[in-house]
Amino acid sequence: MTKIALIGFGVVGQAFAEIIRDKKAMLKEKYGLDAEIIAIAGRSKGSVYDPDGIDLEILLKKFRETGTLESYPRGTKGLTSLETVNKTGADIIAEVTITNIETGEPALSHVKEALIHGKHVVTSNKGPAALAYKELKQLANHNKVQFRIESTVLSGTPAINFASENLAGHKIYGVKGIINGTTNYILSKMEQGEKYEDALREAQELGYAEADPTADVEGWDAVAKIMILGNALLGGELKVEEVEREGITGITPEDIMAAKSQGQRIKLIAEAYMEDGVVKARVSPERVHLSDPLAGVTGTLNALTVMTDGLLEVTVIGGGAGGVGTAHGLLSDILAIHRTCA
């Protein structure tokens, strides 16, 4: 049995629990993975630990009725997140708390604690992966465990594993793409004639943008993701202040129409590349010609183009947001750990 401890029980954490509940039999039959969530800790939702495995049907029902994990009728309650990491006997820690791009905390401490105690980590949290990827990867290698971050960039659409595993053997020169669905949605709507303010309001109403959209529209979310890609795939050690950044708030309808008249679309492009042997990165609105695969990526879709020596440019396109997609990215990492450690 593969024992999983889940740190964080927001949209992603709940979606992950539902997937394990619904696919448990299939995962065992098809992949030989007997996955059991034995502990869950939420920042404001309490915690629960049952070494024999949590009945997710009961837990989810009780949680939706009460809003607390501690309404689950069995198990140990009251463990902190760090205690859940190191005292529950979990094989894999799934860290899905809210991203903090300034310090990475508290997720960074959760991840370090897990790796130090010889536990594999899968995470959707961009903070640790963006701010301390090299350190965490070395810590994982030292303790003979894995630190996997597929969900941090394109949610459930393959990105990290796509480039590092499916394109293994290729030399990767750089990556570029549309890695923020909110800004892509707004720009797509502006091309259809909507004003920026109206497109943003619509994105907020649909749940694509937060009440405070700064992280998306000013490019900070894309900065975190391109740092992860640059550091994980190109071997860089990028810091937030080293990434050139420009958001989309200065883009006008006139800019959109001018690009359209020349067979182009404006997209918020994030790129990591090598320059004089150093990994660099930037995030900015760019004109993309309609012949480029990235130009056809509209709405909330994301895309990533990987530049290689063998296949030249390879592009993957898919959804880049949402709890279910992100949870499936976590599951893909858990299956990868199972394959390589079985």
Side-chain angles (χ1 to χ4, degrees), residues 6-19 95-97 123-125 151 155 321-330:
L6 181 58
I7 309 300
F9 205 60
V11 173
V12 175
Q14 292 171 50
F16 179 74
E18 290 171 352
I19 287 172
E95 216 293 343
V96 297
T97 60
T123 185
S124 60
N125 194 306
S151 291
S155 183
V324 174
T326 304
H328 273 94
L330 294 166

Side-chain angles (χ1 to χ4, degrees), residues 272-333:
Y273 55 97
M274 301 293 298
E275 186 176 282
D276 298 326
V278 178
V279 178
K280 296 190 175 182
R282 58 175 169 254
V283 172
S284 62
E286 294 183 16
R287 287 188 174 198
V288 180
H289 196 274
L290 292 179
S291 61
D292 189 315
L294 296 180
V297 180
T298 58
T300 59
L301 286 176
N302 282 192
L304 184 70
T305 297
V306 184
M307 283 76 84
T308 75
D309 61 345
L311 293 172
L312 301 182
E313 295 189 353
V314 186
T315 301
V316 60
I317 300 171
V324 174
T326 304
H328 273 94
L330 294 166
L331 179 58
S332 74
D333 275 343

Side-chain angles (χ1 to χ4, degrees), residues 213-228:
T214 303
D216 292 320
V217 300
E218 295 293 355
W220 291 109
D221 177 72
V223 164
K225 292 174 179 177
I226 201 62
M227 287 173 63
I228 293 169

Side-chain angles (χ1 to χ4, degrees), residues 1-4 16-38 52-56 331 335:
M1 181 171 71
T2 298
K3 298 179 180 181
I4 302 166
F16 179 74
E18 290 171 352
I19 287 172
I20 297 299
R21 176 197 65 190
D22 297 342
K23 297 193 173 185
K24 183 174 175 60
M26 181 274 284
L27 292 172
K28 187 171 183 180
E29 179 181 351
K30 188 172 183 179
Y31 302 104
L33 173 65
D34 184 9
E36 199 79 62
I37 295 179
I38 64 165
D52 296 323
I54 295 170
D55 185 319
L56 295 173
L331 179 58
L335 285 165

Side-chain angles (χ1 to χ4, degrees), residues 11-336:
V11 173
V12 175
Q14 292 171 50
F16 179 74
E18 290 171 352
I19 287 172
I20 297 299
R21 176 197 65 190
D22 297 342
K23 297 193 173 185
K24 183 174 175 60
M26 181 274 284
L27 292 172
K28 187 171 183 180
E29 179 181 351
K30 188 172 183 179
Y31 302 104
L33 173 65
D34 184 9
E36 199 79 62
I37 295 179
I38 64 165
I40 307 174
R43 181 171 58 104
S44 59
K45 301 176 178 71
S47 67
V48 59
Y49 164 51
D50 186 338
D52 296 323
I54 295 170
D55 185 319
L56 295 173
E57 184 68 36
I58 294 174
L59 179 130
L60 287 163
K61 181 176 183 295
K62 291 289 186 181
F63 177 79
R64 285 166 184 151
E65 291 172 351
T66 66
T68 175
L69 291 163
E70 298 188 1
S71 61
Y72 183 71
R74 300 192 294 272
T76 301
K77 317 293 170 57
L79 295 179
T80 67
S81 294
L82 287 177
E83 287 172 335
T84 300
V85 167
N86 61 39
K87 292 185 177 181
T88 58
D91 307 303
I92 298 175
I93 304 300
E95 216 293 343
V96 297
T97 60
I98 296 173
T99 292
N100 176 347
I101 196 59
E102 294 181 5
T103 66
E105 296 295 353
L108 185 55
S109 292
H110 298 157
V111 173
K112 284 183 178 179
E113 189 79 3
L115 297 175
I116 288 169
H117 282 80
K119 301 175 188 296
H120 303 291
V121 173
V122 300
T123 185
S124 60
N125 194 306
K126 294 181 284 292
L131 301 178
Y133 178 79
K134 185 174 182 180
E135 175 191 357
L136 296 173
K137 188 68 172 176
Q138 290 175 341
L139 188 59
N141 292 341
H142 177 76
N143 288 288
K144 297 181 173 56
V145 291
Q146 297 185 37
F147 172 54
R148 287 188 166 265
I149 57 173
E150 183 61 85
S151 291
T152 60
V153 177
L154 297 186
S155 183
T157 298
I160 302 292
N161 296 343
F162 165 67
S164 62
E165 297 177 10
N166 295 110
L167 295 178
H170 293 264
K171 181 176 178 58
I172 296 176
Y173 294 106
V175 293
K176 66 178 179 179
I178 299 166
I179 56 179
N180 180 270
T182 300
T183 52
N184 202 45
Y185 178 85
I186 292 171
L187 291 171
S188 297
K189 285 295 182 178
M190 289 179 69
E191 188 177 345
Q192 295 171 16
E194 290 192 20
K195 294 180 180 178
Y196 169 82
E197 294 80 7
D198 295 334
L200 172 58
R201 188 181 309 111
E202 187 175 327
Q204 290 170 321
E205 291 171 353
L206 292 170
Y208 301 147
E210 300 289 342
D212 179 359
T214 303
D216 292 320
V217 300
E218 295 293 355
W220 291 109
D221 177 72
V223 164
K225 292 174 179 177
I226 201 62
M227 287 173 63
I228 293 169
L229 290 166
N231 293 342
L233 301 181
L234 301 181
E237 295 185 59
L238 290 164
K239 295 178 175 56
V240 173
E241 61 272 16
E242 295 172 342
V243 181
E244 297 177 33
R245 177 191 57 83
E246 180 185 350
I248 67 166
T249 54
I251 300 298
T252 66
E254 290 74 23
D255 295 329
I256 299 283
M257 292 304 112
K260 190 174 182 178
S261 69
Q262 297 180 33
Q264 300 168 327
R265 283 191 170 121
I266 293 179
K267 297 291 184 182
L268 185 68
I269 299 296
E271 183 174 10
Y273 55 97
M274 301 293 298
E275 186 176 282
D276 298 326
V278 178
V279 178
K280 296 190 175 182
R282 58 175 169 254
V283 172
S284 62
E286 294 183 16
R287 287 188 174 198
V288 180
H289 196 274
L290 292 179
S291 61
D292 189 315
L294 296 180
V297 180
T298 58
T300 59
L301 286 176
N302 282 192
L304 184 70
T305 297
V306 184
M307 283 76 84
T308 75
D309 61 345
L311 293 172
L312 301 182
E313 295 189 353
V314 186
T315 301
V316 60
I317 300 171
V324 174
T326 304
H328 273 94
L330 294 166
L331 179 58
S332 74
D333 275 343
I334 289 172
L335 285 165

